[in-house]
Amino acid sequence: MKQSTLLAGVLLATSALSPAFAQEANVTIVLGEEPDLVEPCMATRSNIGRIVLGNISETLTELDVRGDEGLKPRLAESWEMVDDTTWRFHLREGVTFSDGTAFDAADVKHSFERAGSDQITCEISRYYEGIDITPSVVDDLTIDFKTDPAQPILPLLLSLLTIVPSETPIEFTREPVGTGPYVLSDWQPGQSITLERREDYWGEQPAVTKATYAFRSDPSVRAAMVATGEADIAPSISAIDATTDMDMAYPNSETTYLRVDSSMAPLNDIRVRKALNLAIDRNAFIGTILAEGTQVATAINVPTTLGWNPDTKAWDYDVDAAKALLEEAKADGVPVDTEILLVGRTGNFPGATETYEAIQSMLSEAGFNVRLQMVEVAEHEQYYSKPYVQDQPVLVGAQHDNSRGDPVFSMYFKYHSDGRQSGIDDSHADELIEKATAATGEEREALWSELFGYLHDDVVADVLLFHMVGHARVGEAVDFTPTIATNSQLQLAEIGVK
């Protein structure tokens, strides 16, 4: 199995946890955002992934974020390259879905094609945009993926593909069927979601027999629920509340930024985009609204990502320089007084509302006409993914999660002209993305590094803000340590009982 060549630059957590499961248990996990659906192909959205990914639905491969095993088998037992553009996966025998049907290669093929269907808009498919991937069944337990261009890290890319039965219709479901150790047994909208353990699961039985997810938007309330024993785990609380022995800080793969839609004036003028960056005092947030240890971002990926460019420097805070750029642009006829809508996502992270309010104030001080609108996740998507709302210039406050260590999970859909969440149209950026995606080794790293610098310094593609730090509160009855993946995935199998 040719796994070792795939892992250069893959981000691995340093903590290794092998919980000793002393007994079976029911647990309650309190989250900040209720999902609007529990569709497996949307599991890369954090509020869905924490419930679905690895619990209800499984993937062919998975990245070890607790140890040093790198890319590990899950539903695929092994894989190898047949030729330069074809990967072959050998599937696990004896696996069944929660509806009792057998898992086979036809299910994998259907899952991939369903995720990319134009009849639904699946989050997972954005990671495969710009790559022509064709799955073909060899036999019941063998499937080939042919790619154009060549994809040296395809097994890593497929660590995001959630597998559903081939009978699953091409429409969103509220009753997901998967091969994972849990089934969705109850959903009380606005209140809770409950998962129960499958006794016929193909793998090792986890200790948690039932998990109830409760939803509270206020991080202080979430922290208090664990403190009083009403909940067992709150995976995301604010730094202000993280003051007890029950609280743990963990490396967070989320980058907070403002996505700029450069297609509309005045945001299509580079002087205006530079002024946006100069007007925000990023360091003022750290240790106040945001936790100590939060880092100022110079790329949408965290510094341990392959190709991260150390020569790219963060923007200085200089409100006078921002004002001067706006005056210069205005003198040239750029409509800098046009109202810009700043869209933030409610509950996206602890302190989100306060952060965006402070940003609005800073931009206003520099001379921007900014209106803040906080929205829920479903409404946020119409501003964040194409086709964008185009009635006025928009800054989208968002977070991007890439815990897998290679920019391929970010660059196409964030920055390619045809990318689903791209705010730019730049031929050189497109060329670098396409070349790096197909490259290997040092060439791949160098191309990604060049792209990071080009986007930040030459294009000024967006307003990069922070690499975040997460805080979790864990009750005394459970054994759980958060990892860099906790913000987007929380496998119940990783929870033990004290």
Side-chain angles (χ1 to χ4, degrees), residues 157-310:
L157 278 168
L158 292 181
S159 67
L160 293 174
L161 178 66
T162 48
I163 305 302
V164 298
S166 55
E167 297 80 13
T168 305
I170 303 179
E171 59 188 35
F172 286 153
T173 179
R174 290 179 62 89
E175 299 178 354
V177 174
T179 60
Y182 295 88
V183 295
L184 191 155
S185 60
D186 184 61
W187 186 355
Q188 300 293 326
Q191 299 181 40
S192 65
I193 289 176
T194 302
L195 305 188
E196 294 192 23
R197 191 178 67 185
R198 287 177 56 192
E199 298 306 317
D200 60 343
Y201 177 58
W202 64 266
E204 183 178 346
Q205 284 287 349
V208 173
T209 52
K210 182 166 74 172
T212 300
Y213 298 87
F215 308 102
R216 303 289 187 275
S217 59
D218 189 328
S220 297
V221 172
R222 299 198 295 273
M225 287 176 67
V226 178
T228 60
E230 188 179 350
D232 297 290
I233 300 173
S236 181
I237 65 172
S238 70
I240 296 172
D241 294 315
T243 58
T244 74
D245 292 340
M246 304 169 73
D247 303 322
M248 304 180 189
Y250 59 94
N252 190 327
S253 58
E254 296 277 8
T255 299
T256 301
Y257 75 116
L258 305 183
R259 202 282 312 287
V260 180
D261 183 358
S262 299
S263 67
M264 296 189 72
L267 301 178
N268 58 357
D269 190 293
I270 192 171
R271 293 168 295 187
V272 175
R273 299 197 298 275
K274 288 181 177 180
L276 288 169
N277 278 279
L278 290 165
I280 297 175
D281 185 359
R282 294 162 175 81
N283 289 314
F285 291 85
I286 300 173
T288 54
I289 298 175
L290 303 178
E292 292 286 357
T294 300
Q295 296 179 318
V296 174
T298 59
I300 205 167
N301 298 119
V302 293
T304 43
T305 304
L306 181 72
W308 189 83
N309 192 329

Side-chain angles (χ1 to χ4, degrees), residues 12 20 24 49 63 83 98-99 129 161 197 217 221 225 230 392 404 431 438 442-443 449 485-486 489 495:
L12 298 177
E24 296 181 348
L63 185 63
D83 55 47
S98 57
D99 65 357
E129 291 175 350
L161 178 66
R197 191 178 67 185
S217 59
V221 172
M225 287 176 67
E230 188 179 350
Q392 71 177 111
R404 284 163 171 79
E431 181 183 12
E442 293 182 357
E443 180 188 9
S449 183
T486 298
Q489 180 180 11
I495 302 173

Side-chain angles (χ1 to χ4, degrees), residues 124-179:
I124 290 172
S125 65
R126 69 189 185 186
Y127 297 101
Y128 310 123
E129 291 175 350
I131 309 168
D132 184 11
I133 305 176
T134 305
S136 58
V137 173
V138 178
D139 57 44
D140 284 351
L141 295 176
T142 311
I143 187 167
D144 287 350
F145 286 87
K146 190 171 185 63
T147 67
D148 182 21
Q151 288 304 304
I153 65 164
L154 183 70
L156 183 60
L157 278 168
L158 292 181
S159 67
L160 293 174
L161 178 66
T162 48
I163 305 302
V164 298
S166 55
E167 297 80 13
T168 305
I170 303 179
E171 59 188 35
F172 286 153
T173 179
R174 290 179 62 89
E175 299 178 354
V177 174
T179 60

Side-chain angles (χ1 to χ4, degrees), residues 1 26 46 86 88 98 105 123 166 188 216 234 243 254 285 314 316 326 334 338 361 394 404 414 420 424 436 478:
M1 180 167 56
N26 300 337
S46 59
T86 306
R88 175 164 293 175
S98 57
E123 285 274 323
S166 55
Q188 300 293 326
R216 303 289 187 275
T243 58
E254 296 277 8
F285 291 85
D316 292 327
L326 290 182
V334 178
T338 302
S361 177
V394 177
R404 284 163 171 79
K414 291 293 186 184
R420 191 181 305 180
I424 66 172
V478 296

Side-chain angles (χ1 to χ4, degrees), residues 79-99:
W79 49 89
E80 74 272 351
M81 293 192 76
V82 177
D83 55 47
D84 289 345
T85 61
T86 306
W87 284 92
R88 175 164 293 175
F89 290 79
H90 303 279
L91 307 181
R92 193 176 298 276
E93 189 174 5
V95 175
T96 60
F97 289 96
S98 57
D99 65 357

Side-chain angles (χ1 to χ4, degrees), residues 6-74:
L6 305 175
L7 301 178
V10 170
L11 182 60
L12 298 177
T14 57
S15 63
L17 175 66
S18 299
F21 296 146
Q23 63 186 65
E24 296 181 348
N26 300 337
V27 300
T28 298
I29 300 168
V30 57
L31 304 177
E33 291 182 285
E34 181 180 12
D36 51 334
L37 67 164
V38 284
E39 165 59 52
C41 79
M42 299 293 283
T44 52
R45 188 194 291 176
S46 59
N47 64 332
I48 298 173
R50 280 177 168 173
I51 298 171
V52 172
L53 193 56
N55 296 323
I56 298 173
S57 298
E58 296 181 298
T59 54
L60 295 180
T61 64
E62 68 175 330
L63 185 63
D64 176 24
V65 296
R66 292 197 176 274
D68 58 1
E69 296 183 57
L71 197 64
K72 302 193 302 182
R74 188 89 181 214

